[in-house]
Amino acid sequence: MNKTVVPSVDSLQRDWYVVDAAGQTLGRLASEIAKVLRGKHKPTFTPHMDVGDFIVVVNAEKVTVGGRKAHQKLYRRHSGRPGGMKVETFSHLQARLPERIVETAVRGMLPRNALGRQLFRKLKVYRGPVHPHGAQRPATLSLSTAS
């Protein structure tokens, strides 16, 4: 019988990728980012390990949604206090904190456990075209989605 090979932590190579979100559809962009963060594009993918790469998303303010979602899609958060529910539409949140839109979409596509929280820390989202991760020399990630 063949044995399943589990990669050691020392043998893992984590690359850095930069993704331009300008003109991309939110859900399609988030699913591709989640796939790379999880490491599903690699032949060494292991479901219980973090084998994925780092992702830097730029131009988060220029991400799009289809239909009337800009005015109908709601983002909720709660302060923990009675009556502390805050509700905000996509367009208002995009004007205020566009990074949170991409982060929320990607977080929803990751596992809901300690591994998912560890994977989420490898996502860096920025409002404009400038990011501070030039020293890591991120490669441009070409997404298979075209809007």
Side-chain angles (χ1 to χ4, degrees), residues 51-71:
V51 296
D53 298 324
F54 288 85
I55 298 284
V56 178
V57 180
V58 294
N59 291 322
E61 62 192 5
K62 296 178 183 173
V63 73
T64 61
V65 289
R68 299 189 301 184
K69 289 186 196 135
H71 303 291

Side-chain angles (χ1 to χ4, degrees), residues 99-113:
E99 302 92 352
R100 188 173 291 171
I101 291 173
V102 177
E103 289 171 355
T104 304
V106 173
R107 184 184 289 131
M109 297 182 184
L110 293 176
R112 276 95 169 150
N113 53 23

Side-chain angles (χ1 to χ4, degrees), residues 20-130:
D20 189 6
Q24 296 282 337
T25 306
L26 177 63
R28 295 172 189 271
L29 173 72
S31 63
E32 291 291 323
I33 291 172
K35 181 177 79 173
V36 175
L37 281 175
R38 187 93 198 268
K40 288 194 159 192
H41 65 292
K42 293 183 173 184
T44 59
F45 172 69
T46 308
H48 67 279
M49 289 180 65
D50 176 12
V51 296
D53 298 324
F54 288 85
I55 298 284
V56 178
V57 180
V58 294
N59 291 322
E61 62 192 5
K62 296 178 183 173
V63 73
T64 61
V65 289
R68 299 189 301 184
K69 289 186 196 135
H71 303 291
Q72 291 181 346
K73 187 171 177 61
L74 298 176
Y75 288 89
R76 295 174 178 88
R77 64 187 195 280
H78 201 284
S79 67
R81 307 282 296 177
M85 176 73 81
K86 308 274 188 192
V87 179
E88 202 168 10
T89 63
F90 175 88
S91 56
H92 283 113
L93 188 59
Q94 192 173 28
R96 195 172 67 87
L97 286 171
E99 302 92 352
R100 188 173 291 171
I101 291 173
V102 177
E103 289 171 355
T104 304
V106 173
R107 184 184 289 131
M109 297 182 184
L110 293 176
R112 276 95 169 150
N113 53 23
L115 176 64
R117 292 187 292 275
Q118 181 181 355
L119 295 170
F120 183 71
R121 280 188 226 115
K122 296 190 305 181
L123 175 67
K124 319 291 182 189
V125 184
Y126 298 99
R127 176 185 302 248
V130 181

